Amino acid sequence: IPADGATEVPVTSIVSATFSEPMSSPTINANTFTVKKEDETTAITGILSLSSDGKTAIFDSTQDFSPNTKYIAAIDIGAEDLAGNALVSAKRWSFTTTKN
């Protein structure tokens, strides 16, 4: 969330990814779950957490997203489930914020 290709996403939105099974909390971090402005290499800062069941990683940016801007969210293969199994492949998706 937001869905890949979503537009008109509120600048105050959180970004989340839901997995099929509980994930290992230490492997959901700033190296494995990133959100960047399109065409930028530096990830934006925010707070990462896992839902109580461990199946949803949640990113809450420190500041509101910029209006009318495309962002790329990514989960890297360094993210692992409780058994230590890494993701088979990285997942990337994009969304664009509202014009404000």
Side-chain angles (χ1 to χ4, degrees), residues 16-92:
S16 66
T18 301
F19 303 93
S20 61
E21 57 188 273
M23 300 300 285
S24 171
S25 184
T27 70
I28 303 296
N29 56 54
N31 294 320
T32 60
F33 189 164
T34 58
V35 179
K36 301 175 183 179
K37 287 183 180 180
E38 184 179 42
D39 298 328
E40 290 194 10
T41 57
T42 304
I44 62 172
T45 58
I47 298 167
L48 275 169
S49 60
L50 268 179
S51 60
S52 59
D53 68 0
K55 290 185 176 183
T56 303
I58 302 158
F59 176 82
D60 187 1
S61 63
T62 304
Q63 298 181 347
D64 288 351
F65 292 113
S66 299
N68 200 32
T69 302
K70 186 173 184 177
Y71 286 88
I72 308 295
I75 305 275
D76 190 81
I77 58 172
E80 298 176 353
D81 66 14
L82 295 176
N85 299 308
L87 295 180
V88 174
S89 62
K91 171 69 176 167
R92 290 172 45 102

